[in-house]
Amino acid sequence: MKIKVATRVNEAREFLKRKREAGGTIGLVPTMGFLHEGHLSLVRRAMGENDTCVVSIFVNPLQFGPSEDFDAYPRDMGRDLDLLASEGVELVFAPGVDEMFSPDHSTIVSEKKLSGFLCGSARPGHFDGVCTIVLKLFNILRPDRAYFGEKDYQQLQVIRRMVRDLDLEVKVIGCPIVREEDGLALSSRNTYLGEAEREQAIALSRALAQARSVFDAGERGCRSILDVVRMVVESYPMVSLEYAEIRDAVDLSPVKRVDRKVVVAVAARIGRARLIDNTILCP
């Protein structure tokens, strides 16, 4: 079956309306394109759990700050479509900015409790942009299930909260982080890394692995676990740690001891790349 590319809202709606009327379920994988194996793992999950998989490709200007990399963000639509066609995806929704946002658009979706720290501190307004575009995609495409990578853990929890608070009829499914052989979490922004920077980027996954090691050895104090994370990252001179925190895995509230399921979240800058990673600890 040939892949269909819809660039208009009505075109995507009509395609999926026919699928829905035939009794089929719809799985959505929202992306900003420049696809890698992490994205494709979401696509395969969506394909396996739904009758129709739709992948959106849209670099959302609302989630980029004025000094961030919107213009430089990697794009390769031809390659993306080839990858998705090889996976058997039926529909790609790839609208332009003008299709998604009227010139005088003035409505923004803002989550107030889970989005003001971690990446929200470093990127003011970022999660407003994420919530706004994801809600629009849910309204346009009306998926039964939507698939997000757990690498963007705070984003995943913010979206889950939005879905709960706004009574949306979609099941949000988090999928495991996909990594390179040396542990680096896959990210489109990894393409920003030079050769030496790429070698240093394993600092994040190694720091998280060390956090898990001390946890498995019996350590439950968050301060002690984070000291280990910082020590590992600081041993990589090209890596500038932005944050290392341990938060409740559901509501992202601060914790002092690992006495429940938590996320150890890190962010760092390496050259022009800002990378994030995390691991879950559960006593």
Side-chain angles (χ1 to χ4, degrees):
M1 182 181 295
K2 186 177 179 181
I3 193 168
K4 177 174 178 58
V5 181
T7 59
R8 300 292 184 185
V9 168
N10 287 342
E11 191 180 6
R13 279 178 166 160
E14 283 300 314
F15 182 92
L16 294 174
K17 180 182 178 183
R18 292 193 294 272
K19 297 293 183 179
R20 209 173 284 112
E21 288 174 345
T25 56
I26 295 164
L28 168 64
V29 180
T31 82
M32 293 204 299
F34 209 73
L35 305 181
H36 51 64
E37 190 61 30
H39 296 111
L40 297 181
S41 72
L42 306 183
V43 169
R44 291 169 193 140
R45 176 94 180 257
M47 295 276 293
E49 296 180 352
N50 302 276
D51 298 300
T52 297
C53 172
V54 52
V55 177
S56 64
I57 298 178
F58 181 69
V59 184
N60 175 28
L62 291 191
Q63 66 192 69
F64 289 79
S67 60
E68 292 188 324
D69 57 342
F70 175 74
D71 290 329
Y73 193 84
R75 296 163 170 87
D76 191 337
M77 183 64 74
R79 173 181 166 276
D80 289 347
L81 294 179
D82 287 343
L83 287 171
L84 295 174
S86 70
E87 296 291 337
V89 171
E90 288 186 67
L91 176 66
V92 172
F93 180 48
V97 173
D98 292 344
E99 182 70 7
M100 292 302 283
F101 297 111
S102 301
D104 62 346
H105 77 91
S106 56
T107 302
I108 299 293
V109 181
S110 184
E111 191 285 324
K112 294 296 188 183
K113 189 171 181 182
L114 281 65
S115 58
F117 42 82
L118 299 177
C119 288
S121 296
R123 307 182 69 188
H126 169 71
F127 287 113
D128 290 353
V130 169
C131 287
T132 302
I133 193 61
V134 170
L135 181 58
K136 285 177 70 70
L137 290 171
F138 287 173
N139 285 335
I140 293 166
L141 304 171
R142 293 178 54 203
D144 297 280
R145 303 175 185 90
Y147 298 81
F148 297 86
E150 291 179 348
K151 180 178 73 71
D152 297 288
Y153 193 86
Q154 185 179 17
Q155 170 180 281
L156 175 62
Q157 296 309 102
V158 167
I159 291 169
R160 282 175 168 156
R161 179 62 62 91
M162 177 185 73
V163 166
R164 186 201 75 177
D165 289 352
L166 300 183
D167 299 308
L168 303 178
E169 289 188 304
V170 57
K171 183 176 182 181
V172 175
I173 298 172
C175 300
I177 298 171
V178 178
R179 300 182 180 277
E180 301 277 9
E181 286 187 12
D182 63 1
L184 178 66
L186 293 185
S187 169
S188 298
R189 288 186 170 96
N190 288 351
T191 59
Y192 295 162
L193 299 170
E195 185 176 348
E197 293 166 341
R198 172 61 183 82
E199 292 175 0
Q200 295 265 302
I202 59 171
L204 275 67
S205 60
R206 290 196 173 175
L208 293 170
Q210 194 60 33
R212 176 169 291 282
S213 179
V214 298
F215 170 79
D216 289 343
E219 181 60 67
R220 294 295 182 268
C222 291
R223 180 177 294 180
S224 298
I225 295 172
L226 291 175
D227 283 346
V228 169
V229 170
R230 294 187 186 100
M231 181 179 67
V232 173
V233 174
E234 287 169 3
S235 69
Y236 290 81
M238 298 178 73
V239 182
S240 176
L241 187 66
E242 187 176 280
Y243 67 72
E245 296 192 33
I246 299 178
R247 297 266 177 167
D248 181 277
V250 177
D251 65 14
L252 302 181
S253 58
V255 294
K256 293 183 177 179
R257 290 188 59 78
V258 184
D259 55 6
R260 68 196 102 155
K261 186 178 180 182
V262 302
V263 58
V264 186
V266 294
R269 294 191 179 272
I270 309 169
R272 56 191 284 255
R274 180 182 184 274
L275 303 181
I276 60 174
D277 203 347
N278 69 79
T279 191
I280 300 294
L281 302 179
C282 189

